[in-house]
Amino acid sequence: MNKYYLSALFFFIAFLAISFKTIQSNSYQQAYELKINDFIKSQSFLIKTVQECNQLSGTNIDKIKQAIGASRNKMKSADIWLRYLEPLAYKKINSPLPVEWETEVFEKFEKPYKRVGAGLTLAELYLEEENPDKDTLLHLLTQAEKATGSFLHDSIVSKIKTFDHFYFCNRLFLLNLASIYTTGFECPDTALVIPELKVMLSEVNTIYATYNQSFSSQQLSAPYMTLFAACIQFAVNQPERYSHFDHFTFIKDYVNPLFALNQQLIRQYGASSRSNLDYALNKTAASIFDKSLYMGQITKGIFLRVNDEQTLQTIDRLGEMLFFDPILSANNQRSCVSCHDPKQFFTDTLRSTSLQFNEKEFLPRNSPSLLNTPFNHLAMLDGKHQTLQHQGKAVITNPIEMGSNENEVLEKILSCKEYKAGFTKLLKHTPQEKEITLEHIVSALTFYYGKFSNGTAAFDNAMNNKTPVNKEVIEGFNLFMSKSQCASCHFVPQFNGVKPPYIGSEFEVLGTPEDPHYKSLSKDKGRHDVNPATETMNAFRTGTLRNAEKTKPYMHNGVFKTLDEVIEFYNGGGGAGRGLVVENQTLSSDSLRLTKKEKIQLISFIKSLNEEIILEVTPEKLPLSKNKTFNTRKVGGEY
Amino acid sequence: MIVLLMIAVLSCMGPKKVAYDFPSTMNESVQKEYLRQCEKGAVLYEISCSGCHTKKSMLSKKIPDFTADQIYGYEIRRSNKNHENALTAETVTTEELGYILNFLMYKKRSGLLHKGTHVEN
């Protein structure tokens, strides 16, 4: 009989334990569902408010704005999940633009596709327009409400039931804290940027608590929780205006160290991601300001699987010689150096646009520096090429650049014994190719110049607590992140158009003039040439600000010669702000009202992004060819 | 002894040339381009995928038949935990992944159905 009692007791205890565990593991899920439902309720209220308005004017607009504000706070409470778990739905909830053309790294071989945005930010912006229409407003809001509902579908809720997603949601959250949440991106009323941030931080803290309760074996560590509490405290003590907020300290002392701890926990717990959003991010990068944070381009190209140091040195050496070798051009007089001189930070700082192959005319666009090109997903200012290798091939075969063709250039290169022997030796590393191809050639080139993008800037060293930067730089950065609106297009940490989770390159329409006196708009159609659409007319891929001081002239056509001119251009609201007709300008046409002192601070910050580039000695001679006529060619070319 | 000799001879023969089943409606020049890509794909499959997906025995290697659903596209990079680390853009480029998928799509059926995510040896 005792045996039966014992067994019954055992089963009872087991039952209790299982039940208790079930309750525990549900608390995080419950918090999730509660926050999503709260957000839906706030949207229903907002929609009802709009429906009850007879017309959209006066106090009605104030009432609606208030309801939008309340709903935005609910959205921010769940933002850590919303952005990560279903990014497509998020575009309907809080898109910054009515239409976006997406070319994300996952779809590299697909054409850009159109995403029509909706949601709270667009609704608020719409209310600012003249005579807003109730139905249009309701359409923006009902789409958002419907999209939020999708977060309660089983397919998404099932992700909440395992721990893995949490660390990736949190990683994206931290990256966004460093790059968009404090800058006014997707927040039309800049007065609300910091108040919304405070709501978000406090709500995330409660999410952390429920997560730790539900996933006791994969908890956020004590140092993480302590630092996060300090981060909240820091934000609470900061001024409410985003232009007075200390963005620099917030990122350096809190966000970046939290990111490092989160990365460590991802590795420690072996968290695994099934999301496309984690495609470019590196689990081992210990700082947001580490060049290994995300991968944009494979500089090794066809040699991607080569890891042996000696072979890599061979590739590098071949790439170096080719980079300086005018044999790549049809007349043996132009090399990569002609437009991308290492001594000029791998660009041509002497002209607005470089010379054409015919040595008479000039190219239509400014030569970009090759530095940090590996951190773009799309190459060229119009994003025409998906890889640096495609871009390299296009330059060699472009009649107005190097004027050669695939067969001719290969034949010429392989007529040089040193090249032929070098590439033949490398063939065993690319067994899918039976012979040396142009892909081998351009891969050696990209591998060679790609290594110069590993440099760090004074600003990175300050963020990584190695060497401090002066007050002017810090104030410049704080301005950059707020009043001057730079950071909503030049995202931390590369200060280019690639924003977290770093899987796509953004394009902007700035209204760049043809001439520095703003007589007319530049005729260059930019992205429109690649992807014709109303929104892409005159749009260009946002470039990095790293080394900007050293890589003049500026803009796609090199129209501005100094950083002061560039700052003036933005301060005046771009082309539209200067009276040019730019209907699709993505930059605000209002003046930024920057003071003289502020402009100096901004430039100081930009100068702190100059990187330490360790140049190598220029090759003294080039490989000899069987064809003696090629052997008079000059290292680096003639023009 | 004879068996061992046979095994040795067979293993020295190396991989057999793969045959392909292209649709009869596919025009010749397109077929030629697909063949070029499939041949690259076959080598790349051997390098990057066969370790987990090819059924190996003492005498033979069998590349399983994947269904269209299993080779749907770039999402394959994250279709399981192993792929998250082994099938990244730094181990197989997007272009190469395309070659591999074409190879798996058009190679002659081996009769070994690919179940789940990995073939158990």
PDB file of all heavy atoms in Angstrom, chain B residues 76-101:
ATOM      1  N   ILE B  76      17.600  28.652 -48.252  1.00  0.00           N
ATOM      2  CA  ILE B  76      18.271  27.409 -47.895  1.00  0.00           C
ATOM      3  C   ILE B  76      19.457  27.686 -46.968  1.00  0.00           C
ATOM      4  O   ILE B  76      19.845  26.838 -46.167  1.00  0.00           O
ATOM      5  CB  ILE B  76      18.702  26.661 -49.182  1.00  0.00           C
ATOM      6  CG1 ILE B  76      18.785  25.174 -48.940  1.00  0.00           C
ATOM      7  CG2 ILE B  76      19.985  27.185 -49.759  1.00  0.00           C
ATOM      8  CD1 ILE B  76      18.882  24.378 -50.211  1.00  0.00           C
ATOM      9  N   ARG B  77      19.993  28.885 -47.080  1.00  0.00           N
ATOM     10  CA  ARG B  77      21.124  29.250 -46.221  1.00  0.00           C
ATOM     11  C   ARG B  77      20.776  29.156 -44.739  1.00  0.00           C
ATOM     12  O   ARG B  77      21.654  29.007 -43.908  1.00  0.00           O
ATOM     13  CB  ARG B  77      21.555  30.685 -46.501  1.00  0.00           C
ATOM     14  CG  ARG B  77      22.258  30.891 -47.816  1.00  0.00           C
ATOM     15  CD  ARG B  77      22.995  32.197 -47.769  1.00  0.00           C
ATOM     16  NE  ARG B  77      23.519  32.624 -49.040  1.00  0.00           N
ATOM     17  CZ  ARG B  77      24.699  32.255 -49.517  1.00  0.00           C
ATOM     18  NH1 ARG B  77      25.448  31.418 -48.845  1.00  0.00           N
ATOM     19  NH2 ARG B  77      25.119  32.719 -50.672  1.00  0.00           N
ATOM     20  N   ARG B  78      19.507  29.333 -44.425  1.00  0.00           N
ATOM     21  CA  ARG B  78      19.147  29.334 -43.017  1.00  0.00           C
ATOM     22  C   ARG B  78      18.093  28.283 -42.702  1.00  0.00           C
ATOM     23  O   ARG B  78      17.364  28.403 -41.732  1.00  0.00           O
ATOM     24  CB  ARG B  78      18.627  30.719 -42.612  1.00  0.00           C
ATOM     25  CG  ARG B  78      19.572  31.830 -43.001  1.00  0.00           C
ATOM     26  CD  ARG B  78      19.270  33.089 -42.297  1.00  0.00           C
ATOM     27  NE  ARG B  78      19.878  33.087 -40.971  1.00  0.00           N
ATOM     28  CZ  ARG B  78      21.141  33.412 -40.729  1.00  0.00           C
ATOM     29  NH1 ARG B  78      21.931  33.742 -41.708  1.00  0.00           N
ATOM     30  NH2 ARG B  78      21.615  33.412 -39.509  1.00  0.00           N
ATOM     31  N   SER B  79      18.043  27.239 -43.548  1.00  0.00           N
ATOM     32  CA  SER B  79      16.977  26.263 -43.337  1.00  0.00           C
ATOM     33  C   SER B  79      17.265  25.328 -42.165  1.00  0.00           C
ATOM     34  O   SER B  79      16.375  24.649 -41.689  1.00  0.00           O
ATOM     35  CB  SER B  79      16.718  25.459 -44.610  1.00  0.00           C
ATOM     36  OG  SER B  79      17.909  24.836 -45.006  1.00  0.00           O
ATOM     37  N   ASN B  80      18.487  25.263 -41.699  1.00  0.00           N
ATOM     38  CA  ASN B  80      18.757  24.494 -40.483  1.00  0.00           C
ATOM     39  C   ASN B  80      19.992  25.051 -39.775  1.00  0.00           C
ATOM     40  O   ASN B  80      20.695  25.901 -40.313  1.00  0.00           O
ATOM     41  CB  ASN B  80      18.900  22.995 -40.776  1.00  0.00           C
ATOM     42  CG  ASN B  80      20.096  22.698 -41.653  1.00  0.00           C
ATOM     43  OD1 ASN B  80      21.210  23.136 -41.365  1.00  0.00           O
ATOM     44  ND2 ASN B  80      19.879  21.974 -42.746  1.00  0.00           N
ATOM     45  N   LYS B  81      20.219  24.524 -38.588  1.00  0.00           N
ATOM     46  CA  LYS B  81      21.286  25.076 -37.739  1.00  0.00           C
ATOM     47  C   LYS B  81      22.664  24.922 -38.396  1.00  0.00           C
ATOM     48  O   LYS B  81      23.520  25.807 -38.278  1.00  0.00           O
ATOM     49  CB  LYS B  81      21.250  24.359 -36.382  1.00  0.00           C
ATOM     50  CG  LYS B  81      21.942  25.145 -35.299  1.00  0.00           C
ATOM     51  CD  LYS B  81      21.611  24.616 -33.923  1.00  0.00           C
ATOM     52  CE  LYS B  81      22.341  25.459 -32.873  1.00  0.00           C
ATOM     53  NZ  LYS B  81      21.835  25.283 -31.541  1.00  0.00           N
ATOM     54  N   ASN B  82      22.887  23.804 -39.085  1.00  0.00           N
ATOM     55  CA  ASN B  82      24.199  23.613 -39.727  1.00  0.00           C
ATOM     56  C   ASN B  82      24.425  24.631 -40.827  1.00  0.00           C
ATOM     57  O   ASN B  82      25.516  25.165 -40.977  1.00  0.00           O
ATOM     58  CB  ASN B  82      24.307  22.208 -40.318  1.00  0.00           C
ATOM     59  CG  ASN B  82      24.413  21.164 -39.236  1.00  0.00           C
ATOM     60  OD1 ASN B  82      24.887  21.456 -38.146  1.00  0.00           O
ATOM     61  ND2 ASN B  82      23.950  19.964 -39.522  1.00  0.00           N
ATOM     62  N   HIS B  83      23.365  24.856 -41.601  1.00  0.00           N
ATOM     63  CA  HIS B  83      23.515  25.814 -42.704  1.00  0.00           C
ATOM     64  C   HIS B  83      23.851  27.214 -42.205  1.00  0.00           C
ATOM     65  O   HIS B  83      24.513  27.974 -42.890  1.00  0.00           O
ATOM     66  CB  HIS B  83      22.228  25.861 -43.537  1.00  0.00           C
ATOM     67  CG  HIS B  83      22.081  24.684 -44.452  1.00  0.00           C
ATOM     68  ND1 HIS B  83      21.166  24.662 -45.470  1.00  0.00           N
ATOM     69  CD2 HIS B  83      22.753  23.505 -44.515  1.00  0.00           C
ATOM     70  CE1 HIS B  83      21.264  23.501 -46.109  1.00  0.00           C
ATOM     71  NE2 HIS B  83      22.217  22.788 -45.544  1.00  0.00           N
ATOM     72  N   GLU B  84      23.369  27.537 -41.017  1.00  0.00           N
ATOM     73  CA  GLU B  84      23.614  28.873 -40.474  1.00  0.00           C
ATOM     74  C   GLU B  84      25.119  29.170 -40.423  1.00  0.00           C
ATOM     75  O   GLU B  84      25.555  30.288 -40.635  1.00  0.00           O
ATOM     76  CB  GLU B  84      23.011  28.974 -39.070  1.00  0.00           C
ATOM     77  CG  GLU B  84      23.039  30.383 -38.512  1.00  0.00           C
ATOM     78  CD  GLU B  84      22.773  30.438 -37.015  1.00  0.00           C
ATOM     79  OE1 GLU B  84      22.415  29.397 -36.417  1.00  0.00           O
ATOM     80  OE2 GLU B  84      22.941  31.523 -36.440  1.00  0.00           O
ATOM     81  N   ASN B  85      25.908  28.105 -40.162  1.00  0.00           N
ATOM     82  CA  ASN B  85      27.355  28.313 -40.095  1.00  0.00           C
ATOM     83  C   ASN B  85      28.091  27.816 -41.337  1.00  0.00           C
ATOM     84  O   ASN B  85      29.125  28.346 -41.702  1.00  0.00           O
ATOM     85  CB  ASN B  85      27.928  27.598 -38.865  1.00  0.00           C
ATOM     86  CG  ASN B  85      27.323  28.139 -37.595  1.00  0.00           C
ATOM     87  OD1 ASN B  85      27.154  29.347 -37.457  1.00  0.00           O
ATOM     88  ND2 ASN B  85      26.935  27.256 -36.696  1.00  0.00           N
ATOM     89  N   ALA B  86      27.535  26.794 -41.981  1.00  0.00           N
ATOM     90  CA  ALA B  86      28.277  26.162 -43.078  1.00  0.00           C
ATOM     91  C   ALA B  86      27.898  26.701 -44.456  1.00  0.00           C
ATOM     92  O   ALA B  86      28.623  26.487 -45.420  1.00  0.00           O
ATOM     93  CB  ALA B  86      28.058  24.654 -43.041  1.00  0.00           C
ATOM     94  N   LEU B  87      26.761  27.344 -44.553  1.00  0.00           N
ATOM     95  CA  LEU B  87      26.321  27.799 -45.873  1.00  0.00           C
ATOM     96  C   LEU B  87      26.155  29.318 -45.871  1.00  0.00           C
ATOM     97  O   LEU B  87      25.126  29.848 -46.247  1.00  0.00           O
ATOM     98  CB  LEU B  87      25.009  27.089 -46.236  1.00  0.00           C
ATOM     99  CG  LEU B  87      24.659  26.988 -47.719  1.00  0.00           C
ATOM    100  CD1 LEU B  87      25.695  26.190 -48.479  1.00  0.00           C
ATOM    101  CD2 LEU B  87      23.288  26.350 -47.907  1.00  0.00           C
ATOM    102  N   THR B  88      27.194  29.987 -45.402  1.00  0.00           N
ATOM    103  CA  THR B  88      27.129  31.448 -45.347  1.00  0.00           C
ATOM    104  C   THR B  88      27.663  32.018 -46.654  1.00  0.00           C
ATOM    105  O   THR B  88      28.219  31.293 -47.472  1.00  0.00           O
ATOM    106  CB  THR B  88      28.002  31.990 -44.198  1.00  0.00           C
ATOM    107  OG1 THR B  88      29.371  31.730 -44.533  1.00  0.00           O
ATOM    108  CG2 THR B  88      27.669  31.328 -42.888  1.00  0.00           C
ATOM    109  N   ALA B  89      27.516  33.330 -46.795  1.00  0.00           N
ATOM    110  CA  ALA B  89      28.039  33.976 -48.008  1.00  0.00           C
ATOM    111  C   ALA B  89      29.559  33.898 -48.043  1.00  0.00           C
ATOM    112  O   ALA B  89      30.175  34.093 -49.081  1.00  0.00           O
ATOM    113  CB  ALA B  89      27.601  35.430 -48.036  1.00  0.00           C
ATOM    114  N   GLU B  90      30.162  33.611 -46.891  1.00  0.00           N
ATOM    115  CA  GLU B  90      31.622  33.514 -46.868  1.00  0.00           C
ATOM    116  C   GLU B  90      32.124  32.107 -47.185  1.00  0.00           C
ATOM    117  O   GLU B  90      33.321  31.892 -47.323  1.00  0.00           O
ATOM    118  CB  GLU B  90      32.146  33.974 -45.506  1.00  0.00           C
ATOM    119  CG  GLU B  90      32.116  35.485 -45.413  1.00  0.00           C
ATOM    120  CD  GLU B  90      32.200  36.004 -44.002  1.00  0.00           C
ATOM    121  OE1 GLU B  90      31.176  35.960 -43.292  1.00  0.00           O
ATOM    122  OE2 GLU B  90      33.281  36.442 -43.623  1.00  0.00           O
ATOM    123  N   THR B  91      31.201  31.151 -47.281  1.00  0.00           N
ATOM    124  CA  THR B  91      31.635  29.803 -47.680  1.00  0.00           C
ATOM    125  C   THR B  91      31.122  29.442 -49.069  1.00  0.00           C
ATOM    126  O   THR B  91      31.764  28.693 -49.798  1.00  0.00           O
ATOM    127  CB  THR B  91      31.149  28.733 -46.674  1.00  0.00           C
ATOM    128  OG1 THR B  91      29.727  28.828 -46.578  1.00  0.00           O
ATOM    129  CG2 THR B  91      31.765  28.911 -45.308  1.00  0.00           C
ATOM    130  N   VAL B  92      29.959  29.946 -49.423  1.00  0.00           N
ATOM    131  CA  VAL B  92      29.398  29.713 -50.760  1.00  0.00           C
ATOM    132  C   VAL B  92      28.782  31.033 -51.222  1.00  0.00           C
ATOM    133  O   VAL B  92      27.893  31.554 -50.549  1.00  0.00           O
ATOM    134  CB  VAL B  92      28.283  28.630 -50.712  1.00  0.00           C
ATOM    135  CG1 VAL B  92      27.707  28.389 -52.097  1.00  0.00           C
ATOM    136  CG2 VAL B  92      28.799  27.327 -50.133  1.00  0.00           C
ATOM    137  N   THR B  93      29.247  31.566 -52.340  1.00  0.00           N
ATOM    138  CA  THR B  93      28.686  32.858 -52.775  1.00  0.00           C
ATOM    139  C   THR B  93      27.270  32.655 -53.308  1.00  0.00           C
ATOM    140  O   THR B  93      26.857  31.521 -53.607  1.00  0.00           O
ATOM    141  CB  THR B  93      29.518  33.508 -53.897  1.00  0.00           C
ATOM    142  OG1 THR B  93      29.410  32.701 -55.068  1.00  0.00           O
ATOM    143  CG2 THR B  93      30.961  33.691 -53.512  1.00  0.00           C
ATOM    144  N   THR B  94      26.556  33.743 -53.458  1.00  0.00           N
ATOM    145  CA  THR B  94      25.184  33.690 -53.967  1.00  0.00           C
ATOM    146  C   THR B  94      25.171  33.057 -55.363  1.00  0.00           C
ATOM    147  O   THR B  94      24.310  32.241 -55.678  1.00  0.00           O
ATOM    148  CB  THR B  94      24.604  35.109 -54.025  1.00  0.00           C
ATOM    149  OG1 THR B  94      24.890  35.754 -52.789  1.00  0.00           O
ATOM    150  CG2 THR B  94      23.119  35.113 -54.256  1.00  0.00           C
ATOM    151  N   GLU B  95      26.152  33.453 -56.173  1.00  0.00           N
ATOM    152  CA  GLU B  95      26.243  32.923 -57.530  1.00  0.00           C
ATOM    153  C   GLU B  95      26.486  31.405 -57.492  1.00  0.00           C
ATOM    154  O   GLU B  95      25.843  30.640 -58.197  1.00  0.00           O
ATOM    155  CB  GLU B  95      27.408  33.618 -58.229  1.00  0.00           C
ATOM    156  CG  GLU B  95      27.243  33.759 -59.707  1.00  0.00           C
ATOM    157  CD  GLU B  95      28.161  34.855 -60.245  1.00  0.00           C
ATOM    158  OE1 GLU B  95      28.994  35.390 -59.492  1.00  0.00           O
ATOM    159  OE2 GLU B  95      28.029  35.162 -61.431  1.00  0.00           O
ATOM    160  N   GLU B  96      27.397  30.993 -56.620  1.00  0.00           N
ATOM    161  CA  GLU B  96      27.712  29.560 -56.498  1.00  0.00           C
ATOM    162  C   GLU B  96      26.514  28.766 -56.001  1.00  0.00           C
ATOM    163  O   GLU B  96      26.260  27.656 -56.454  1.00  0.00           O
ATOM    164  CB  GLU B  96      28.890  29.373 -55.530  1.00  0.00           C
ATOM    165  CG  GLU B  96      30.215  29.838 -56.100  1.00  0.00           C
ATOM    166  CD  GLU B  96      31.378  29.692 -55.112  1.00  0.00           C
ATOM    167  OE1 GLU B  96      31.123  29.551 -53.900  1.00  0.00           O
ATOM    168  OE2 GLU B  96      32.528  29.736 -55.569  1.00  0.00           O
ATOM    169  N   LEU B  97      25.778  29.363 -55.070  1.00  0.00           N
ATOM    170  CA  LEU B  97      24.595  28.681 -54.545  1.00  0.00           C
ATOM    171  C   LEU B  97      23.612  28.426 -55.687  1.00  0.00           C
ATOM    172  O   LEU B  97      23.002  27.359 -55.773  1.00  0.00           O
ATOM    173  CB  LEU B  97      23.952  29.541 -53.445  1.00  0.00           C
ATOM    174  CG  LEU B  97      22.829  28.891 -52.662  1.00  0.00           C
ATOM    175  CD1 LEU B  97      23.319  27.666 -51.908  1.00  0.00           C
ATOM    176  CD2 LEU B  97      22.231  29.873 -51.657  1.00  0.00           C
ATOM    177  N   GLY B  98      23.510  29.391 -56.578  1.00  0.00           N
ATOM    178  CA  GLY B  98      22.654  29.225 -57.753  1.00  0.00           C
ATOM    179  C   GLY B  98      23.101  28.031 -58.601  1.00  0.00           C
ATOM    180  O   GLY B  98      22.277  27.243 -59.056  1.00  0.00           O
ATOM    181  N   TYR B  99      24.406  27.893 -58.789  1.00  0.00           N
ATOM    182  CA  TYR B  99      24.929  26.761 -59.578  1.00  0.00           C
ATOM    183  C   TYR B  99      24.579  25.430 -58.895  1.00  0.00           C
ATOM    184  O   TYR B  99      24.172  24.466 -59.537  1.00  0.00           O
ATOM    185  CB  TYR B  99      26.454  26.841 -59.727  1.00  0.00           C
ATOM    186  CG  TYR B  99      26.967  28.046 -60.496  1.00  0.00           C
ATOM    187  CD1 TYR B  99      28.246  28.548 -60.263  1.00  0.00           C
ATOM    188  CD2 TYR B  99      26.182  28.684 -61.457  1.00  0.00           C
ATOM    189  CE1 TYR B  99      28.728  29.653 -60.959  1.00  0.00           C
ATOM    190  CE2 TYR B  99      26.660  29.787 -62.145  1.00  0.00           C
ATOM    191  CZ  TYR B  99      27.932  30.274 -61.887  1.00  0.00           C
ATOM    192  OH  TYR B  99      28.398  31.356 -62.565  1.00  0.00           O
ATOM    193  N   ILE B 100      24.761  25.413 -57.577  1.00  0.00           N
ATOM    194  CA  ILE B 100      24.485  24.171 -56.834  1.00  0.00           C
ATOM    195  C   ILE B 100      23.003  23.804 -56.954  1.00  0.00           C
ATOM    196  O   ILE B 100      22.645  22.651 -57.208  1.00  0.00           O
ATOM    197  CB  ILE B 100      24.889  24.314 -55.340  1.00  0.00           C
ATOM    198  CG1 ILE B 100      26.400  24.511 -55.226  1.00  0.00           C
ATOM    199  CG2 ILE B 100      24.427  23.117 -54.529  1.00  0.00           C
ATOM    200  CD1 ILE B 100      26.904  24.825 -53.822  1.00  0.00           C
ATOM    201  N   LEU B 101      22.148  24.786 -56.802  1.00  0.00           N
ATOM    202  CA  LEU B 101      20.705  24.510 -56.874  1.00  0.00           C
ATOM    203  C   LEU B 101      20.313  24.036 -58.272  1.00  0.00           C
ATOM    204  O   LEU B 101      19.490  23.128 -58.420  1.00  0.00           O
ATOM    205  CB  LEU B 101      19.894  25.745 -56.453  1.00  0.00           C
ATOM    206  CG  LEU B 101      20.091  26.211 -54.998  1.00  0.00           C
ATOM    207  CD1 LEU B 101      19.217  27.407 -54.694  1.00  0.00           C
ATOM    208  CD2 LEU B 101      19.807  25.106 -53.998  1.00  0.00           C
TER     209      LEU B 101
END
